[in-house]
């Protein structure tokens, strides 16, 4: 005998619509979610979701917004799979419109609405995608902004570099800076680069923009040298810009070691510039450099040993 569903909300909601076939399926789905820790329960949950017709799936998606995350996740996964296969696109588009029109007093349901819209966004029709973008952009929250950025960045039809740039100026979200350095044309990047250097904390974003820019102003070179010494050395190596021995040694001294440091990048660049004499001096002073690194970490090394 099947166990009773742990949550009868889905069952009751559909029973009022006199849809006994869907009700029976949802009862089984709910029961399987109650047994989600067993392999059989998990397998049957996804199998029962696969048995839902397109129309039933859309109804279940709306009903599951306040239900178990296992149920909503299984339904979401099938929606995405159908979208990728080019199936049920009309139904998915209608679902997107209904999700935006609905009111959800429960905070968990509201979060799930936005998450589900993010997952089905690529399969919506252009007018619906535009409405979703406007919805997120108008929220003014960090989470909605990131959903907007992810969606518009992968939307060939609705993508707007100007809108991404505006969002980046407002938020200084480095994910937007990544889009700019990968999508802007070389002339635009030449204009953007000083601002990217000033407001980004990731040197690789700056280097990507610099490599794609039409040209780099001397003032921008100096700003990169000051804020991102290892990136500066990397760009010198990639763009055949001269680096004196003293500059190279200074850069190594200004960079940090370890997985979160960028000294390795600086040394790599110096090697690419064929500055073996600088590498020799680093090698000769490796013990002193090691002691200095340890002291920066608060580890005292016995210098007499």
């Amino acid at each position: 005998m099947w166990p009773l569903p742990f949550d009868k909300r889905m069952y009751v909601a559909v029973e009022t619509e006199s849809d006994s076939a869907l009700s029976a399926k949802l009862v089984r789905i709910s029961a399987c979610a109650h047994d989600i820790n067993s392999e059989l329960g998990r397998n049957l949950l996804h199998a029962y979701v696969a048995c839902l017709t397109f129309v039933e799936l859309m109804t279940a998606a709306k009903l599951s917004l306040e239900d178990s995350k296992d149920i909503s996740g299984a339904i979401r996964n099938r929606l995405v799979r159908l979208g990728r296969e080019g199936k049920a696109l009309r139904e998915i588009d209608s679902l997107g419109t209904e999700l935006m029109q609905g009111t959800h007093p429960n905070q968990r349901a509201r979060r799930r609405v936005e998450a589900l819209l993010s997952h089905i966004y690529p399969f919506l029709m252009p007018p619906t995608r535009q409405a979703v973008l406007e919805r997120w952009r108008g929220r003014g929250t960090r989470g909605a902004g990131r959903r907007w950025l992810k969606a518009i960045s992968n939307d060939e039809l609705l993508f707007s570099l100007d809108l991404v740039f505006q969002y980046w100026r407002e938020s200084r979200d480095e994910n937007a800076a990544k889009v700019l350095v990968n999508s802007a044309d070389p002339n635009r990047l030449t204009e953007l680069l000083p601002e990217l250097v000033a407001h980004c904390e990731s040197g690789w974003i700056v280097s990507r923009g610099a490599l794609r820019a039409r040209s780099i102003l001397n003032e921008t070179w100096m700003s990169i040298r000051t804020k991102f010494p290892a990136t500066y050395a990397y760009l010198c190596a990639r763009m055949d810009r001269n680096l004196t021995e003293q500059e190279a040694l200074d850069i190594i001294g200004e960079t940090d070691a370890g997985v979160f440091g960028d000294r390795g990048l600086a040394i790599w660049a110096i090697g690419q510039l064929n500055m073996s004499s600088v590498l020799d001096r680093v090698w000769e002073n490796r013990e002193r450099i090691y002691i200095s690194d340890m002291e920066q970490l608060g580890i005292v090394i016995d210098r007499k040993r």
Side-chain angles (χ1 to χ4, degrees), residues 9 15 44 53 62 118 128 138 150 163 166 179 186 232 235-236 290 292 305:
R9 282 176 299 180
E15 275 295 293
L44 285 170
T53 67
K62 291 177 287 184
S118 292
T128 310
K150 180 181 178 181
L163 289 178
Q166 179 183 347
V179 177
Y232 178 82
L235 289 172
C236 287
Y290 171 74
S292 177
R305 296 179 60 183

Side-chain angles (χ1 to χ4, degrees), residues 13-285:
V14 180
E15 275 295 293
T16 61
E17 300 175 9
S18 300
D19 190 340
S20 58
L22 176 56
S23 295
K25 292 177 184 178
L26 294 182
V27 168
R28 294 293 186 255
I29 289 171
S30 187
C32 292
H34 186 56
D35 195 33
I36 196 65
N37 291 326
S38 75
E39 180 181 3
L40 183 61
R42 291 192 299 273
N43 292 339
L44 285 170
L45 169 62
H46 290 277
Y48 272 117
V49 170
C51 291
L52 297 172
T53 67
F54 293 164
V55 174
E56 289 174 342
L57 182 65
M58 305 310 146
T59 301
K62 291 177 287 184
L63 294 173
S64 69
L65 292 173
E66 298 185 40
D67 220 303
S68 158
K69 62 181 178 62
D70 300 305
I71 295 176
S72 61
I75 291 172
R76 179 196 65 224
N77 289 344
R78 187 176 176 217
L79 285 168
V80 172
R81 186 162 55 252
L82 288 172
R84 288 173 177 167
E85 294 173 354
K87 300 176 181 177
L89 297 181
R90 183 175 60 183
E91 289 85 353
I92 292 174
D93 188 71
S94 296
L95 173 63
T97 299
E98 291 183 42
L99 288 174
M100 286 188 288
Q101 293 174 346
T103 56
H104 306 280
N106 183 287
Q107 185 177 6
R108 181 174 66 174
R110 290 197 297 270
R111 288 198 302 266
R112 287 185 178 176
V113 165
E114 305 309 324
L116 185 54
L117 284 171
S118 292
H119 280 91
I120 66 174
Y121 177 89
F123 318 119
L124 303 175
M125 297 296 106
T128 310
R129 297 204 306 273
Q130 183 64 51
V132 174
L133 290 175
E134 292 173 358
R135 170 191 179 92
W136 285 332
R137 194 69 179 93
R139 290 286 173 86
T141 64
R142 179 175 298 181
R146 289 180 175 173
R147 293 187 191 280
W148 174 87
L149 178 65
K150 180 181 178 181
I152 199 171
S153 298
N154 294 291
D155 192 324
E156 185 176 349
L157 179 64
L158 300 179
F159 177 75
S160 168
L161 189 70
D162 289 335
L163 289 178
V164 173
F165 177 61
Q166 179 183 347
Y167 169 73
W168 179 67
R169 275 195 160 174
E170 294 171 0
S171 66
R172 296 308 185 193
D173 183 345
E174 288 203 350
N175 290 308
K178 295 176 188 177
V179 177
L180 293 174
V181 299
N182 285 314
S183 303
D185 63 72
N187 289 329
R188 184 74 179 271
L189 280 172
T190 296
E191 300 173 1
L192 290 177
L193 200 54
E195 199 167 345
L196 289 168
V197 175
H199 296 286
C200 284
E201 298 302 323
S202 299
W204 77 265
I205 295 178
V206 171
S207 67
R208 173 68 173 166
L211 289 171
R212 295 192 62 245
R214 175 179 53 80
S215 60
I216 304 174
L217 300 174
N218 285 333
E219 294 83 355
T220 303
W221 273 114
M222 293 302 99
S223 297
I224 296 173
R225 169 66 185 88
T226 300
K227 188 173 182 179
F228 303 106
T231 298
Y232 178 82
Y234 171 79
L235 289 172
C236 287
R238 289 291 308 274
M239 304 176 75
D240 295 324
R241 181 180 174 88
N242 290 331
L243 191 66
T244 68
E245 287 196 6
Q246 189 57 53
E247 281 181 310
L249 287 168
D250 289 343
I251 286 172
I252 291 176
E254 295 168 16
T255 53
D256 296 322
V259 293
F260 298 109
D262 49 8
R263 185 182 298 156
L265 177 63
I267 292 175
W268 177 90
I270 291 166
Q272 298 302 305
L273 289 166
N274 198 26
M275 303 179 74
S276 58
S277 59
V278 174
L279 299 178
D280 289 341
R281 292 180 64 178
V282 173
W283 174 254
E284 292 165 2
N285 289 280

